[in-house]
Amino acid sequence: MNKGITYALLAAVLFGISTPFAKVLAGEYEPVLLAGLLYAGSGIGLSAWLVLRKAIAKPGNSVSRLGIPDFPWLAGAILSGGVLAPVLMMSGLSHASASSSSLLLNMEGVLTALLAWFVFREQFDRRIFLGMMLIIAGGVLLSWQSDPMLGQVHESWGALAVVAACLCWAIDNNLTRKVSTGDAVQIAALKGLVSGAVNLSFALLWLGAPVPAWKSVASAGILGFGGYGLSLVLFVLALRHLGTARTGAYFSAAPFVGAAVSLLVLGEQPDRIFWFAAALMGCGIWLHITESHDHLHRHDHMEHAHTHTHDAHHQHAHDFAWDGKEPHSHSHVHQPMEHAHPHFPDIHHRHTH
């Protein structure tokens, strides 16, 4: 299995597990405050990881650091995915059931793909498109499972807030792909620190939210470190290997994990529409994970830096004394090449068809 798929699925599991537990915390805190605690936990935990990694790193080990051209893309990603999306998500969770909210998170993959295809010009075919249409159909069913005419608008507004959060995360995903050759831990740590600081400041200073007890802060921080921090690190690695749309599709497994935890832990009782929507979404994800894309393609001249091994796409010389250790990171040149093999639209396969 392509390691990018493994990264994406692990990211989905971590984020999916966090959703029902965030639902429990959403009843105790102001949504903005909870979003700040989750992202602060992510940022602080990953920052500690960076310090520890540097302290125990062996000579010769290296990762690609972010450069100045990367920061405008990262700033846009942080604003949309780290500031706006969590607030919308926490607001939605406070109005909708955890199981429905978990499945609605599939809309993130759909919206991510639509932006990747039509704004950032990433390759797709009819099979991938059909899969996304099935996921959309399931999301629409969940959004309207509460009938506004019967006075149950509360649930529908919660669903709309979750979908709006997914749109913000979709923008975030596409912007993050622009910097995915950099250090994934550094990217996720910066997102967590900035997003956590902004949301906490807004909640405490502007909204006047009460300062939570340290025990509650610790619980939210641990949840944020796993469900947001580690999940985001894996997601960035998946972007590097799979491209944006396909990473979003694999990440669509997250809602099923979250829904299962909601049913087992929170004791929620979904109706028949829930299961029908889940079946539609499952078929859509299956179409994605069974895709095979193989054709003759050309690699043009390219120069960039990222962590790599000397595989078929990295047969270059070094202008420095190399000790032979891999993986390593440095600026390197890709010479023009033409060949055929199964591939995804990763950082080395951005060709037209």
Side-chain angles (χ1 to χ4, degrees):
M1 179 185 291
N2 183 292
K3 60 184 177 181
I5 297 175
T6 302
Y7 292 142
L9 292 176
L10 287 175
V13 169
L14 286 173
F15 186 70
I17 290 174
S18 73
T19 302
F21 293 103
K23 166 68 177 178
V24 174
L25 293 176
E28 302 178 12
Y29 303 111
E30 177 73 30
V32 181
L33 178 64
L34 179 55
L37 291 173
L38 291 172
Y39 269 95
S42 166
I44 294 172
L46 292 176
S47 296
W49 180 357
L50 286 172
V51 172
L52 179 62
R53 188 182 67 182
K54 184 176 181 180
I56 65 175
K58 297 179 180 179
N61 287 0
S62 61
V63 292
S64 298
R65 301 294 180 182
L66 294 172
I68 294 178
D70 297 322
F71 283 101
W73 297 111
L74 185 58
I78 290 173
L79 175 62
S80 59
V83 176
L84 298 177
V87 175
L88 289 166
M89 181 64 185
M90 294 306 114
S91 298
L93 285 174
S94 65
H95 296 303
S97 67
S99 54
S100 293
S101 298
S102 293
L103 283 179
L104 271 173
L105 288 175
N106 268 304
M107 296 303 294
E108 179 186 345
V110 174
L111 295 170
T112 294
L114 292 176
L115 289 176
W117 295 339
F118 298 110
V119 178
F120 293 91
R121 302 298 180 183
E122 190 169 289
Q123 176 273 335
F124 72 100
D125 55 25
R126 286 178 294 179
R127 180 188 186 90
I128 295 299
F129 181 78
L130 176 59
M132 282 302 179
M133 291 302 100
L134 290 173
I135 296 173
I136 289 175
V140 170
L141 280 179
L142 287 174
S143 297
W144 292 100
Q145 65 175 325
S146 298
D147 188 352
M149 300 302 294
L150 296 178
Q152 297 175 329
V153 185
H154 200 247
E155 176 86 9
S156 294
W157 278 114
L160 289 175
V162 174
V163 172
C166 289
L167 175 59
C168 290
W169 272 317
I171 296 171
D172 173 9
N173 294 338
N174 279 276
L175 296 180
T176 301
R177 201 275 302 169
K178 294 285 189 178
V179 299
S180 61
T181 57
D183 182 359
V185 180
Q186 182 187 17
I187 292 170
L190 286 172
K191 279 190 174 185
L193 291 173
V194 175
S195 303
V198 170
N199 283 294
L200 285 175
S201 297
F202 185 72
L204 296 173
L205 302 179
W206 183 263
L207 298 179
V211 178
W214 281 109
K215 184 177 180 180
S216 299
V217 171
S219 298
I222 293 171
L223 182 62
F225 175 65
Y228 286 69
L230 296 181
S231 177
L232 180 55
V233 171
L234 292 165
F235 190 89
V236 173
L237 293 173
L239 286 174
R240 186 183 302 172
H241 293 282
L242 300 177
T244 313
R246 285 160 179 79
T247 297
Y250 287 110
F251 194 73
S252 294
F256 291 98
V257 176
V261 174
S262 297
L263 301 179
L264 294 174
V265 177
L266 303 183
E268 295 185 352
Q269 298 296 322
D271 55 19
R272 286 178 295 177
I273 294 179
F274 173 90
W275 292 114
F276 185 55
L280 288 173
M281 291 179 172
C283 289
I285 295 173
W286 177 81
L287 287 172
H288 277 266
I289 65 177
T290 55
E291 176 204 13
S292 179
H293 185 71
D294 185 349
H295 64 90
L296 183 68
H297 58 276
R298 176 179 174 80
H299 294 269
D300 293 325
H301 180 277
M302 178 193 300
E303 183 174 356
H304 61 179
H306 64 92
T307 303
H308 62 277
T309 58
H310 284 201
D311 55 19
H313 293 92
H314 295 90
Q315 296 299 319
H316 51 258
H318 296 81
D319 57 3
F320 58 89
W322 178 43
D323 58 9
K325 293 182 178 179
E326 295 180 332
H328 61 180
S329 177
H330 62 90
S331 180
H332 56 276
V333 174
H334 292 268
Q335 298 297 340
M337 177 194 306
E338 190 172 278
H339 61 178
H341 64 93
H343 60 278
F344 297 98
D346 56 20
I347 57 176
H348 298 110
H349 294 91
R350 291 284 167 178
H351 50 262
T352 57
H353 294 75

